[in-house]
Amino acid sequence: MLEALVREDIRVLIVAGDLFDMGSQNYSVFDELCRDKKYAGIDFHVIPGNHDSAIGQKYFTAPNIRIYNEPELISFGDTGPGFFFIPYLAGKSMGEVIAKHKDSLPDRWVLVGHGDYLSGTRDPNNYESGVYMPLGRPDIEYYGPSRVILGHIHKKMETGKVRYPGSPCGMDINETGRRSFIILDTNDLSINERTVNSDYLFFSENLLALPTSNEFENIKNKIAGFVKSWDLSKDEVSKARIRLKVKGYTSDKRMLEAAISKSLEGFKFYNDEGAGLSEVSIFNDLERISIVERVKEKVELLGRNCRYPQEKVDLILEQALGIILKD
Ligand SMILES: [Mn+2]
C-alpha cells in the first residue's frame, strides 16, 4: 500500500481503526516503517478502533504519525473538504458524537469512523458479534456528510454514501479474494479502489458431490467454474490458498480426491489442509444412484427456471440426497 502511495505521490494515509490488535504492547514495527525515509513524505492519520482503542500518541516516535483519541475536525489544504475523525468510543454512537460537534462542521465534510453502519440491511461481521459504535441512516440524512468512510467491517462494502474499504490484507480464510484500499480525491470526492499486492489470496468454496455416473467429470467442471470466477493471473495463482468444503456422496473417495487435485493443479490448499472430504460418504447402490441422476436433472431444471443461485440448487439437492440415500 505504501509503495502505491509513493508511486502516486499521495501524502496522506488515513487508517480507520483496528490497525493493531488488542493486547499489543509494542508498536515499533509500525513506528519504524513510518520513520523509513522512503515513507517520510506520508502523514499517517490513525483512528483507534475497538481492537486498539488504547493506543495513544506517546506510543510512537515517528514525527509523521498522528493518533486521534478525541473526535476532531481537520483539513488537508485550503480547498478540500473537512474531515471529521471519530475514534471508537465504547458505548457511544457516532450520531451522538456528531451531534456535539454539528455547529463546527463545514458544508463539505467527510466522516471517518469505526463501527457499524445500520442501514437496515446488515452483513454480519465474522469477527465480532454485537453492535459497535453504530451510525444510523438518519444520522447521515440529518447531518449530511458528503462521504462516510468506515473501518470495522473486514468485507468491502458500499451502501449509499457509506464506504467500507475492507481489510487491506486477508486475516484468514474468511477474508476471500483480492484485498484493496481506496483513494479519495479531495477535489471531487471521487473514490478509486486499488488492489493491495498481498502475500496471500484466500478462496473458500463449497462443493456438493453426487454419486452419479459422471460424478468426477461434474466435480472437475464445478472446480473449473470456481477457478474461472477467481480470475487470477499466474502470479496470483501462486499466492492463492484454497479451502474446499465438500459434502455429499461419492462412489469412490480416492477417485474423488484425485479429480479434485487434478482440477486444482498448481494451487495450494489453505494450511495444507487438502480437499476436505470428511463430510463425504460412500454410496454404491446403482438403483438409487439412477434415482439421484433423475432428481439432479429435475432440480437443476427447477433452478434454471426459477433462476436460483447455485448454492440454493445445491442445498435442495443435498436435502433430496439425504432422503434418497438414507439407509
Ligand atoms: Mn473493529
Side-chain angles (χ1 to χ4, degrees):
M1 200 193 285
L2 297 184
E3 279 161 21
L5 298 193
V6 170
R7 202 167 52 234
E8 301 193 35
D9 196 27
I10 293 166
R11 310 285 178 87
V12 173
L13 175 67
I14 299 169
V15 181
D18 290 354
L19 177 59
F20 307 100
D21 209 345
M22 251 175 269
S24 299
Q25 288 187 313
N26 192 331
Y27 303 91
S28 57
V29 173
F30 179 67
D31 205 17
E32 288 302 313
L33 190 69
C34 298
R35 293 191 80 95
D36 189 317
K37 62 178 187 297
K38 271 192 293 192
Y39 310 125
I42 300 171
D43 286 327
F44 297 83
H45 297 263
V46 179
I47 296 167
N50 57 308
H51 278 263
D52 55 5
S53 58
I55 55 167
Q57 198 67 51
K58 65 184 177 190
Y59 296 0
F60 304 94
T61 64
N64 51 345
I65 297 178
R66 189 121 191 244
I67 309 291
Y68 293 82
N69 291 105
E70 295 293 331
E72 191 174 334
L73 178 72
I74 69 157
S75 63
F76 301 103
D78 302 329
T79 56
F83 282 77
F84 188 44
F85 288 165
I86 306 182
Y88 174 78
L89 299 163
K92 283 215 153 83
S93 71
M94 283 190 242
E96 61 184 287
V97 175
I98 302 169
K100 246 193 232 163
H101 293 79
K102 68 178 193 309
D103 295 333
S104 62
L105 296 170
D107 291 342
R108 278 171 92 224
W109 63 288
V110 175
L111 169 61
V112 183
H114 186 94
D116 287 302
Y117 176 50
L118 306 181
S119 63
T121 56
R122 247 175 45 84
D123 253 284
N125 189 349
N126 285 327
Y127 280 83
E128 37 221 339
S129 51
V131 174
Y132 287 77
M133 204 174 193
L135 174 71
R137 192 158 54 183
D139 298 326
I140 294 175
E141 281 158 10
Y142 187 73
Y143 299 113
S146 308
R147 286 244 178 234
V148 179
I149 297 164
L150 300 179
H152 188 58
I153 308 288
H154 293 213
K155 186 177 168 184
K156 62 181 163 195
M157 286 191 282
E158 186 175 13
T159 316
K161 287 181 183 176
V162 178
R163 183 90 172 210
Y164 281 97
S167 59
C169 179
M171 306 261 294
D172 65 31
I173 188 71
N174 296 308
E175 299 187 13
T176 55
R178 290 190 186 90
R179 313 308 299 181
S180 52
F181 65 101
I182 59 169
I183 296 173
L184 176 74
D185 186 327
T186 51
N187 291 314
D188 61 5
L189 297 182
S190 62
I191 284 179
N192 273 292
E193 203 175 286
R194 295 280 188 282
T195 298
V196 176
N197 184 14
S198 53
D199 294 335
Y200 298 106
L201 290 171
F202 300 123
F203 296 94
S204 179
E205 306 285 357
N206 296 309
L207 195 56
L208 181 65
L210 298 169
T212 55
S213 51
N214 57 348
E215 60 169 314
F216 306 116
E217 213 43 50
N218 279 340
I219 288 290
K220 283 180 186 166
N221 289 338
K222 274 193 176 168
I223 293 177
F226 295 149
V227 172
K228 194 167 176 231
S229 72
W230 302 335
D231 189 27
L232 300 178
S233 69
K234 216 174 167 184
D235 186 40
E236 287 172 320
V237 167
S238 63
K239 295 174 173 184
R241 295 293 180 275
I242 315 298
R243 170 170 285 172
L244 266 192
K245 275 187 238 152
V246 193
K247 280 185 172 177
Y249 297 83
T250 180
S251 62
D252 186 328
K253 228 166 171 172
R254 254 184 109 89
M255 296 262 294
L256 177 63
E257 182 169 46
I260 291 171
S261 302
K262 179 89 188 131
S263 308
L264 284 174
E265 219 164 14
F267 286 95
K268 288 197 175 75
F269 285 109
Y270 180 67
N271 279 344
D272 292 320
E273 63 191 16
L277 298 183
S278 60
E279 287 184 56
V280 179
S281 306
I282 291 289
F283 199 79
N284 276 314
D285 176 335
L286 289 176
E287 194 178 337
R288 279 194 277 177
I289 283 173
S290 84
I291 297 173
V292 169
E293 285 178 342
R294 275 175 285 156
V295 168
K296 177 174 182 278
E297 272 168 34
K298 289 212 154 83
V299 172
E300 282 173 349
L301 182 68
L302 173 81
R304 281 195 297 277
N305 288 343
C306 301
R307 295 170 192 273
Y308 288 160
Q310 187 61 43
E311 301 92 79
K312 187 161 179 177
V313 172
D314 282 352
L315 193 66
I316 297 170
L317 271 171
E318 196 184 321
Q319 301 200 347
L321 275 185
I323 296 166
I324 303 163
L325 304 183
K326 206 165 164 182
D327 287 326

